[in-house]
Amino acid sequence: MFVSPSSCLVDAGGAMTSATGAKRTRIRDLAGLFADEAAFAALAATSGDAIAYGVDEFRPERVTPQELIFGTSTLGPGRVGDEFFMTRGHIHVKSDRPEIYFCQEGRGVMHMELPSGETQPMEMHPGTVIHVPPFWIHRSVNTGTAPLVTFFCYPADAGQDYEIIARAGGMKTLIVADGDGWREAPNPRYRGRDAGEIARYMGAAA
Ligand code: ZN
């Protein structure tokens, strides 16, 4: 049994033809993500219904480890206190599955963290390809003034686990504004993970 090849077009804004699904995340859906809760409450009161980011994706008919899911993510610009707008972030349910991101438009950071707490923010601008290796938590951060558009691709059986970040009180570091740029700052709410949780996510790689 074979699947017929297909192609699609992605425009500069991230819209993708032949997408099989789309998801839009509103600002109010990001409650709890930002350190400055008062600034978030003020933003949510005026702009809670606004779309923070959207994903268009192509999922194959059959989800197998040999198949791929690909699509686009479009994350709007903005700040909550010192922090830039960002995606919720996740680790893959099958945590040894990697992902590729290609930055089409905008400026940003792919913020990555191992379950054991090492962080690695990597800058993105148009043309940047980010390899997110197995076991890395990952989140996109828009450090620019225009939408950040990335194209992503990952094994179809990977799945997304969003709770790993929430349970730890966020990622270990925040990406905050610094003049015209950004810097990594300690996250005062970060609780980390115990050895058992790290081992569940990383297995023999811990
Ligand atoms: Zn992912």
Side-chain angles (χ1 to χ4, degrees):
M1 181 62 186
F2 61 88
V3 174
S4 297
S6 62
S7 72
C8 66
L9 286 171
V10 174
D11 74 14
M16 191 172 83
T17 62
S18 305
T20 61
K23 183 163 187 262
R24 300 288 177 262
T25 300
R26 297 178 191 280
I27 284 175
R28 78 166 104 78
D29 299 329
L30 301 180
L33 229 61
F34 296 94
D36 189 336
E37 292 177 6
F40 180 81
L43 178 69
T46 58
S47 310
D49 282 342
I51 290 171
Y53 57 95
V55 169
D56 282 3
E57 64 171 19
F58 178 87
R59 280 180 186 258
E61 287 172 34
R62 290 181 300 155
V63 172
T64 68
Q66 293 79 23
E67 262 289 11
L68 297 169
I69 292 171
F70 62 87
T72 59
S73 164
T74 302
L75 169 63
R79 276 177 33 195
V80 177
D82 286 344
E83 284 183 280
F84 297 101
F85 278 14
M86 57 188 167
T87 60
R88 183 162 288 281
H90 60 266
I91 193 169
H92 293 147
V93 174
K94 290 191 189 316
S95 55
D96 62 351
R97 301 298 196 260
E99 186 158 358
I100 291 290
Y101 283 84
F102 172 75
C103 179
Q104 286 185 212
E105 294 284 335
R107 302 192 71 83
V109 167
M110 183 61 67
H111 195 16
M112 294 172 278
E113 177 185 330
L114 282 172
S116 46
E118 294 88 340
T119 59
Q120 179 71 74
M122 299 198 87
E123 202 158 85
M124 294 187 284
H125 49 79
T128 304
V129 176
I130 303 280
H131 172 223
V132 180
F135 305 115
W136 286 83
I137 298 160
H138 44 289
R139 147 186 292 168
S140 300
V141 183
N142 187 341
T143 57
T145 55
L148 174 67
V149 182
T150 53
F151 180 91
F152 60 80
C153 184
Y154 58 89
D157 68 337
Q160 284 93 15
D161 173 346
Y162 300 96
E163 294 306 309
I164 187 173
I165 296 176
R167 269 200 311 275
M171 291 181 73
K172 188 174 187 178
T173 56
L174 311 177
I175 304 299
V176 299
D178 186 20
D180 290 339
W182 60 275
R183 67 184 168 85
E184 209 180 0
N187 173 6
R189 301 190 298 176
Y190 184 72
R191 295 185 291 271
R193 301 171 188 90
D194 63 24
E197 185 175 9
I198 294 168
R200 279 200 299 284
Y201 280 107
M202 297 188 69

